[in-house]
Amino acid sequence: MKILPFKIPKTSQESFRLQEDREPHFYDYLHQHPEVQLTLILSSEGKVIAGDYIGAFKPGDIFLIGPNLPHVFRNDSRYYEQADISIAHSYTVFFEWQSFGEKFLSLPELKRLQEFTKISERGLYIKDPVRSRISQLMKQLFRTSEMDRLIVLLKILNILSNADSIDPLASSGIYNEFDEIDGKKLADVYRFTMNEYHRKIHLDEVADIANMTTNSFCRYFKKRTRKSYIDFLTEIRIGQARKLLQQNDLSISQICFEVGFNNLSNFNRKFRELCEITPTEFRRSQGA
């Protein structure tokens, strides 16, 4: 059994699936599926987890999720509040490499694409200048049909397979060791952490959520995510701090406590470790 398997609905009249999501928040359960997923975020913000990667997403971002790579796009807490009118909006295309046929992918002209199929297993974050071109083509996908739609998808894959401005997400694209129980445990832990990162979290609290002893949980989490829970929690907190630093509403010391750190020096040190600059330098670079 695989981690929260997700079935992509696809009719016999299509070889790949286009999906537009426009909801109060995105589907927020850790899941995986055999299809490659290419997602353009049109509106909303939050955290994306893909394998052992965790980072922020915002409007304009494009992510490629490899086949069977556990992932979730979880919106910020305000998207779950009844009074909030913000909408999570995205365009996604789901496809499988097998759909193109083994002979097609083995053509000598497609050598770069063959190599790209392996790279994509880890998931990718698409950056400019490629991102703007892919964004335009993904929007075009939703305005075309039949063969024209297939041609646009091939254009997208051609650009991606020849691009330098993409970064791998997960450290490995092989997550077959996960099962459905793992999926539920990790999804519960991720959800708890994203909701409670702003306060002091004790390891025994998180272990209870996973229904494990503290020591067993620490070993389990490290084995499944390739990082300690404390490192994971720190990444969540620093990611939220980066978003708050782009605004002028709070001072750096206020942000420090807002995201769950108990002293400013520790916050500054951890921020520099992860971002390679200080919070002050980051805020200045954002023009805030």
Side-chain angles (χ1 to χ4, degrees), residues 134-151:
I134 299 300
S135 177
Q136 292 173 5
L137 287 170
M138 286 192 69
K139 292 173 183 177
Q140 186 179 340
L141 270 177
F142 284 77
R143 301 193 299 265
T144 58
S145 60
E146 299 183 341
M147 187 170 179
D148 287 335
R149 181 173 284 179
L150 177 59
I151 290 171

Side-chain angles (χ1 to χ4, degrees), residues 170-226:
S171 60
S172 169
I174 301 174
Y175 285 84
N176 292 330
E177 65 200 57
F178 282 77
D179 60 21
E180 193 169 349
I181 295 174
D182 287 326
K184 186 179 185 312
K185 283 183 180 179
L186 289 175
D188 289 345
V189 168
Y190 289 174
R191 190 175 298 108
F192 169 82
T193 306
M194 291 179 185
N195 288 336
E196 305 295 332
Y197 67 85
H198 58 276
R199 66 170 177 86
K200 183 175 179 61
I201 294 178
H202 299 279
L203 279 173
D204 55 357
E205 283 185 88
V206 195
D208 283 344
I209 290 171
N211 197 27
M212 303 174 76
T213 66
T214 302
N215 288 338
S216 295
F217 169 74
C218 289
R219 291 193 298 270
Y220 169 85
F221 192 88
K222 184 69 176 285
K223 180 180 179 181
R224 293 299 188 275
T225 67
R226 299 173 178 84

Side-chain angles (χ1 to χ4, degrees), residues 8-20:
I8 304 301
K10 189 175 65 175
T11 72
S12 59
Q13 304 302 310
E14 56 187 4
S15 57
F16 58 94
R17 178 72 175 177
L18 299 186
Q19 178 173 300
E20 179 178 8

Side-chain angles (χ1 to χ4, degrees), residues 65-274:
I65 305 297
N68 291 318
L69 182 65
H71 63 281
V72 62
F73 288 86
R74 181 170 175 83
N75 287 109
D76 289 342
S77 58
R78 66 186 179 88
Y79 290 88
Y80 294 82
E81 298 169 3
Q82 273 192 327
D84 191 77
I85 58 173
S86 301
I87 294 296
H89 189 195
S90 67
Y91 281 162
T92 297
V93 54
F94 298 96
F95 65 92
E96 296 183 77
W97 296 117
Q98 301 94 306
S99 298
F100 297 102
E102 186 177 342
K103 288 186 177 180
F104 178 76
L105 287 175
S106 63
L107 292 173
E109 292 85 355
L110 299 182
K111 182 179 179 181
R112 295 295 295 271
L113 185 59
Q114 296 167 30
E115 296 169 352
F116 182 75
T117 63
K118 295 298 182 184
I119 297 171
S120 69
E121 291 179 356
R122 298 169 58 186
L124 302 168
Y125 175 62
I126 315 301
K127 299 188 296 186
D128 279 329
V130 170
R131 175 168 51 192
S132 57
R133 297 171 64 193
I134 299 300
S135 177
Q136 292 173 5
L137 287 170
M138 286 192 69
K139 292 173 183 177
Q140 186 179 340
L141 270 177
F142 284 77
R143 301 193 299 265
T144 58
S145 60
E146 299 183 341
M147 187 170 179
D148 287 335
R149 181 173 284 179
L150 177 59
I151 290 171
V152 174
L153 176 59
L154 290 173
K155 284 183 180 179
I156 290 173
L157 295 178
N158 181 48
I159 292 170
L160 289 176
S161 62
N162 287 282
D164 296 321
S165 52
I166 50 178
D167 288 334
L169 298 178
S171 60
S172 169
I174 301 174
Y175 285 84
N176 292 330
E177 65 200 57
F178 282 77
D179 60 21
E180 193 169 349
I181 295 174
D182 287 326
K184 186 179 185 312
K185 283 183 180 179
L186 289 175
D188 289 345
V189 168
Y190 289 174
R191 190 175 298 108
F192 169 82
T193 306
M194 291 179 185
N195 288 336
E196 305 295 332
Y197 67 85
H198 58 276
R199 66 170 177 86
K200 183 175 179 61
I201 294 178
H202 299 279
L203 279 173
D204 55 357
E205 283 185 88
V206 195
D208 283 344
I209 290 171
N211 197 27
M212 303 174 76
T213 66
T214 302
N215 288 338
S216 295
F217 169 74
C218 289
R219 291 193 298 270
Y220 169 85
F221 192 88
K222 184 69 176 285
K223 180 180 179 181
R224 293 299 188 275
T225 67
R226 299 173 178 84
K227 66 182 70 177
S228 72
Y229 177 77
I230 297 302
D231 287 343
F232 170 74
L233 174 59
T234 299
E235 290 179 16
I236 292 280
R237 288 172 168 166
I238 295 300
Q240 186 63 21
R242 285 167 61 98
K243 294 172 69 172
L244 293 176
L245 284 165
Q246 296 177 51
Q247 308 165 16
N248 275 316
D249 301 344
L250 300 173
S251 68
I252 290 177
S253 60
Q254 287 175 313
I255 291 172
C256 160
F257 295 104
E258 183 78 14
V259 300
F261 285 90
N262 55 17
N263 69 75
L264 187 58
S265 61
N266 186 39
F267 170 65
N268 285 328
R269 183 173 65 256
K270 292 298 183 182
F271 193 99
R272 190 179 186 95
E273 284 178 9
L274 291 174

